[in-house]
Amino acid sequence: MPPVFAHGRLRLYLLKLLDEAPRHGYEVIRLLEERFQGLYAPSAGTVYPRLAKLEAEGLVTHTSEGGRKVYAITDAGRAELADRSGELADLELEIRESVAELAAEIRADVRGAAGDLRREVRAATSEARRDSGAEEMRRIKQEWKEQARRAKDESRRAREEAQRARRQAKEAQEHARAQAQEEMQRIARRVQDQVQDHFTRGDWPTGVREGLTELAKEFGEFGKGFGFPRPGGTTTPTAPRPEHEPTYTDTPPDFPAGYEPSWAHEDSTGNPARDLDRLLDRFRDDIRDSARDHGVTEPQLQEIRRHLSSAAAHVGAALRTPRV
């Protein structure tokens, strides 16, 4: 209860309200709340006991209306109110001052609460900004980590692809080398068989010619099958030829079997191995030029194969003869 109602002053103010008009207890409570502009509202436990005491003293009386007690002031109550008119005036002044003080206190409390609220809002806003910035930094860091992980994965995949490509290239080279070796062995066996057949019959010139022709043909096909240049095409430079290029013999189109080209009687240079290489080169070139100029038929090829086989057998036998 506010200090203005200390020392029995609420009893005096209740008499004033009832002097204005008869009222029931709830109405008295509502009027007190209005006089204090909603800043103070006495409870029923405060008002009703005092009304009962005033009635016991004969200062008020009550009647029942609709189940409620309606209190009214008596003449004795008016007499006491008149005797205490000065005190009542002071009480009303104090009530107004008390209401003003309570309002000021409430306004101060409101301003303080508003200030606190503003500070809390600013603090919450600042905290939210910090949290937002921290969240943004976390997001950026996470994106950086993800990008770094993707780059690492791409680099690993690129290394794996490069290693796989190197393995495949190595396997392809080994496979091609094995195929080339097998093909070389097959060619060698085939030519050797053909030449040996002529050698056994004693027709070594034919064996040599057919053997060389077959070698030239097989190596040409071999080069095409494995991606090498064909004879007569663009080739990788080989060992240089002798300083003085020999003159090759023009083979007559109707040369007899006993015909011998001019290079068959060339003098030795003192290097038999080198002379043999030159002899084979000139022999092959003569045969190839003739085939290019006049063409080759299947029957001719069979006959040439027999001659080369025989020649190869004789040459091989001569090379296997012990050196003198």
Side-chain angles (χ1 to χ4, degrees):
M1 180 183 299
V4 294
F5 286 141
H7 308 295
R9 288 189 170 186
L10 178 59
R11 176 175 180 274
L12 178 62
Y13 204 74
L14 290 176
L15 289 175
K16 176 185 181 309
L17 294 178
L18 295 178
D19 183 50
E20 294 174 358
R23 310 176 191 279
H24 50 75
Y26 174 75
E27 189 177 2
V28 170
I29 294 173
R30 184 176 56 78
L31 284 174
L32 285 171
E33 185 177 3
E34 289 178 357
R35 299 293 167 89
F36 279 88
Q37 299 180 9
L39 302 178
Y40 167 69
S43 64
T46 300
V47 173
Y48 283 103
R50 283 172 173 72
L51 289 175
K53 187 176 182 181
L54 289 174
E55 185 176 11
E57 292 175 358
L59 300 179
V60 298
T61 185
H62 79 274
T63 58
S64 296
E65 293 182 2
R68 291 182 177 182
K69 289 183 179 181
V70 177
Y71 294 91
I73 190 169
T74 62
D75 292 339
R78 290 190 183 90
E80 182 174 342
L81 195 59
D83 291 340
R84 300 177 61 183
S85 58
E87 185 179 354
L88 180 60
D90 293 339
L91 176 59
E92 288 182 338
L93 178 61
E94 290 178 7
I95 287 175
R96 288 192 296 271
E97 292 177 351
S98 178
V99 168
E101 291 177 2
L102 288 173
E105 291 177 2
I106 290 174
R107 283 193 298 271
D109 291 341
V110 170
R111 283 195 297 270
D116 293 340
L117 180 60
R118 284 193 296 271
R119 285 190 294 273
E120 291 177 1
V121 169
R122 283 195 296 268
T125 302
S126 177
E127 183 68 22
R129 289 174 179 171
R130 286 195 298 271
D131 292 343
S132 177
E135 181 64 26
E136 181 67 15
M137 287 299 297
R138 284 193 294 270
R139 185 185 65 79
I140 293 174
K141 289 181 179 179
Q142 186 63 31
E143 289 182 356
W144 288 346
K145 291 180 179 179
E146 185 64 22
Q147 292 176 358
R149 184 189 63 79
R150 287 197 295 268
K152 185 177 180 181
D153 292 342
E154 290 294 334
S155 177
R156 177 179 55 79
R157 282 194 292 270
R159 289 195 302 271
E160 292 175 353
E161 288 293 335
Q163 292 173 357
R164 183 160 51 251
R166 286 194 294 269
R167 286 196 302 269
Q168 291 174 352
K170 184 178 180 181
E171 292 172 357
Q173 290 176 351
E174 292 176 351
H175 181 68
R177 187 179 298 112
Q179 284 186 323
Q181 291 175 351
E182 292 177 359
E183 186 65 16
M184 289 288 291
Q185 293 173 0
R186 184 190 67 79
I187 293 172
R189 287 193 301 269
R190 180 175 177 181
V191 173
Q192 183 178 3
D193 292 342
Q194 293 175 353
V195 173
Q196 188 65 35
D197 181 60
H198 287 284
F199 280 11
T200 56
R201 294 199 301 264
D203 187 9
W204 66 268
T206 302
V208 171
R209 288 195 298 271
E210 289 189 358
L212 292 176
T213 300
E214 186 66 18
L215 284 175
K217 175 185 175 184
E218 292 290 348
F219 278 116
E221 296 296 328
F222 174 79
K224 290 189 290 184
F226 287 90
F228 301 128
R230 292 180 298 176
T234 303
T235 60
T236 302
T238 57
R241 290 184 176 272
E243 296 180 1
H244 302 289
E245 190 71 24
T247 302
Y248 294 108
T249 301
D250 293 332
T251 304
D254 55 349
F255 69 95
Y259 172 79
E260 291 183 350
S262 61
W263 47 261
H265 302 284
E266 288 182 351
D267 296 331
S268 173
T269 63
N271 188 339
R274 182 177 179 183
D275 290 343
L276 178 59
D277 286 339
R278 293 176 60 190
L279 178 64
L280 292 175
D281 286 341
R282 297 181 66 179
F283 174 83
R284 184 189 62 184
D285 290 341
D286 277 357
I287 299 300
R288 186 175 57 188
D289 292 344
S290 180
R292 182 189 61 219
D293 296 338
H294 305 287
V296 182
T297 64
E298 188 64 30
Q300 289 174 333
L301 179 61
Q302 295 298 327
E303 183 180 359
I304 292 171
R305 182 177 288 111
R306 287 194 301 271
H307 291 313
L308 287 176
S309 176
S310 177
H314 285 285
V315 171
L319 292 174
R320 289 193 294 271
T321 302
R323 298 181 181 179
V324 179

